[in-house]
Amino acid sequence: MLQVIAMGQFKLLLFAWCHNSRNYLGIVVDCPSTHSSHILHHVVQLQPQSYRFVDKGLFGDFFTTYVEDLVSGRYDVHNDIISMLPNSGPHTGTSISRGIRTTVSVMFCPDETPAYRVYRYQISFEVLDFAALGFASAQLKSRHWLIHYQDQQQTQSSGHGVVGEFPILSEESPYYRYCSRMTDDELEGLMLVALEGYFTMVPGTLEDPAGPDFTLAVPYTEVPIPMEIL
């Protein structure tokens, strides 16, 4: 996708969109001369509704760093789409249990609902060692979240499956990733601070369990500060 949009006296050439974060990447192709020395030809990450953006640096420098991050595994391309949700670094967390690596990544994103802030998160599961797993497969059964808000307030949430699915990890399909969202406390107006939790897995399958349930931990992971607060 290539599209030029105007933001007041600035023009951006949009070249990528992350369906998980709902953010665009664009290059500043025109701006007032008073700003050209420090923003022209820079890549910016743009929130499409608020038009708030984060400067990612000069085009060449951004892509050099991004390619290095792709090679290192910090970012990846999923289904031919660039992901802006990192696999490591700030606002991410990783745990390994029973040979399965669980990774969480959180990003603040704009949303169609202006009444509260929305944070999209990505969870991935990858079997690193089937010997440590001890079974040919394992199926996700349920999830449990402990959600932290400001003023040390907490809520808990549990449910079956994830995004309506009960993925099976096996040698044929050792990797699964999904994205969902959390928001500030809509009733009390408290800002979301962090999340943690665990997933319950069944060895074998739900229909044919091969052993007792086990859990995969999601470590305490702080959410980023929204752009409008910075």
Side-chain angles (χ1 to χ4, degrees):
M1 56 157 293
L2 289 175
Q3 177 185 359
V4 176
I5 66 169
M7 293 174 51
Q9 295 179 292
F10 294 80
K11 288 185 179 180
L12 300 180
L13 173 63
L14 303 181
F15 63 87
W17 179 69
C18 175
H19 72 291
N20 295 332
S21 68
R22 308 286 180 90
N23 279 206
Y24 289 90
L25 288 176
I27 307 168
V28 180
V29 293
D30 190 19
C31 66
S33 58
T34 53
H35 295 80
S36 62
S37 61
H38 45 266
I39 196 65
L40 187 64
H41 301 148
H42 280 223
V43 173
V44 296
Q45 180 178 320
L46 175 69
Q47 295 180 350
Q49 292 186 355
S50 67
Y51 285 106
R52 297 182 183 275
F53 66 87
V54 176
D55 184 359
K56 295 291 186 176
L58 282 168
F59 179 83
D61 295 338
F62 168 81
F63 270 97
T64 297
T65 302
Y66 196 86
V67 169
E68 291 174 350
D69 285 339
L70 286 174
V71 172
S72 69
R74 183 165 186 260
Y75 290 97
D76 54 24
V77 177
H78 184 60
N79 292 335
D80 298 323
I81 298 175
I82 289 176
S83 176
M84 297 180 198
L85 283 159
N87 298 312
S88 62
H91 314 303
T92 68
T94 299
S95 69
I96 297 177
S97 178
R98 295 290 289 268
I100 300 175
R101 177 170 60 201
T102 304
T103 303
V104 58
S105 177
V106 189
M107 176 181 285
F108 167 69
C109 302
D111 196 81
E112 67 278 2
T113 304
Y116 44 83
R117 286 177 289 268
V118 173
Y119 304 81
R120 299 193 179 273
Y121 65 91
Q122 173 180 279
I123 302 288
S124 65
F125 307 100
E126 183 177 11
V127 182
L128 304 176
D129 186 351
F130 276 94
L133 175 60
F135 301 92
S137 66
Q139 186 169 11
L140 191 147
K141 178 180 180 180
S142 61
R143 65 192 185 276
H144 180 83
W145 291 110
L146 176 60
I147 307 168
H148 300 265
Y149 297 98
Q150 67 187 104
D151 299 333
Q152 299 183 335
Q153 299 297 307
Q154 300 177 351
T155 61
Q156 298 191 50
S157 174
S158 298
H160 297 292
V162 290
V163 294
E165 298 182 359
F166 298 83
I168 298 175
L169 300 176
S170 65
E171 292 188 6
E172 294 74 24
S173 183
Y175 182 83
Y176 178 81
R177 171 165 62 180
Y178 78 95
C179 293
S180 190
R181 73 177 202 167
M182 292 182 175
T183 69
D184 289 341
D185 188 307
E186 302 167 33
L187 297 178
E188 302 296 332
L190 297 174
M191 185 187 302
L192 182 64
V193 173
L195 56 86
E196 60 182 312
Y198 61 85
F199 296 90
T200 300
M201 306 290 292
V202 175
T205 66
L206 292 173
E207 293 184 353
D208 186 19
D213 296 354
F214 64 94
T215 59
L216 303 177
V218 176
Y220 181 92
T221 304
E222 294 182 348
V223 304
I225 299 174
M227 291 182 186
E228 64 260 30
I229 297 178
L230 296 177

